[in-house]
Amino acid sequence: MLSQAMAADKIGAIAAVIGTVLLERDGDIVSVKPGSAVYENDKVLTGKSSRAQILLMDQTAINIGQKAELVLDKFVFNSEDDEVALKVTKGTFRFISGKVATKTPEKVNVETPVATIGVRGTEFVGQIGATDTTVALLNGRIEVANDISTQFVTNPGFGVTIDPTSGVISTPVKIPQAQLEAVLNSVSTNRESLQEEE
């Protein structure tokens, strides 16, 4: 009977794995492979030179690079209360919104240690570093907000930097193409991009 209860709660799956990818679930650490189910409150952890892609039931896709941590806080789909909420606590990530963002964009949020990114039907990347956090828009628009300020990014290729000490969010600036490509490579699940990293 338990397996049926678990199946009802599945919110997506691990779509791609390179290197060491672990899930922390209810205090247990489990290793994953492509096709492994993910559930609410799962924490996905990647090791050195590792990558993962998580695909949620509404076609939201999240890629994370090496030494990253991602928590799947909340996922509701096909109901009145559709919601996607995740938390990336470290590392580099790429977010491609799915059907929930198309229908109710205000209910899709990605939280980082320094700001929350409101998704407005979109694709963006983020890099959480020790000295600053950068969020760059690839498509659509995003709202980056914390207790101190809010910035809207509406031009693809533009992004903001958040200072972890003051919490100040910069005004959107054009991100150099080389920097953007480096971030995209660092979360790509193509093995070629991994060799460059090593």
Side-chain angles (χ1 to χ4, degrees), residues 97-111:
S97 63
K99 291 178 178 168
V100 172
T102 308
K103 198 175 102 182
T104 47
E106 67 282 359
K107 292 296 216 141
V108 181
N109 288 294
V110 177
E111 199 182 312

Side-chain angles (χ1 to χ4, degrees), residues 11 17 24-25 28 37 45 53 65 71 103 110 128 134 136 150 167 179-180 183 189:
I11 63 166
V17 170
E24 193 177 303
R25 180 181 293 152
D28 294 327
L45 308 140
Q53 183 182 55
V71 181
K103 198 175 102 182
V110 177
I128 299 161
T134 304
T150 299
Q179 187 185 339
L180 216 47
V183 170
T189 48

Side-chain angles (χ1 to χ4, degrees), residues 63-118:
N63 284 30
I64 53 175
Q66 65 170 342
K67 298 183 183 168
E69 286 183 14
L70 162 83
V71 181
L72 300 164
D73 283 332
K74 186 148 195 206
F75 181 81
V76 181
F77 180 46
N78 277 342
S79 84
E80 290 299 300
D81 306 310
D82 280 6
E83 186 177 354
V84 178
L86 349 151
K87 195 184 286 119
V88 184
T89 49
K90 58 192 238 194
T92 305
F93 65 96
R94 178 181 188 174
F95 182 96
I96 303 171
S97 63
K99 291 178 178 168
V100 172
T102 308
K103 198 175 102 182
T104 47
E106 67 282 359
K107 292 296 216 141
V108 181
N109 288 294
V110 177
E111 199 182 312
T112 73
V114 288
T116 299
I117 305 152

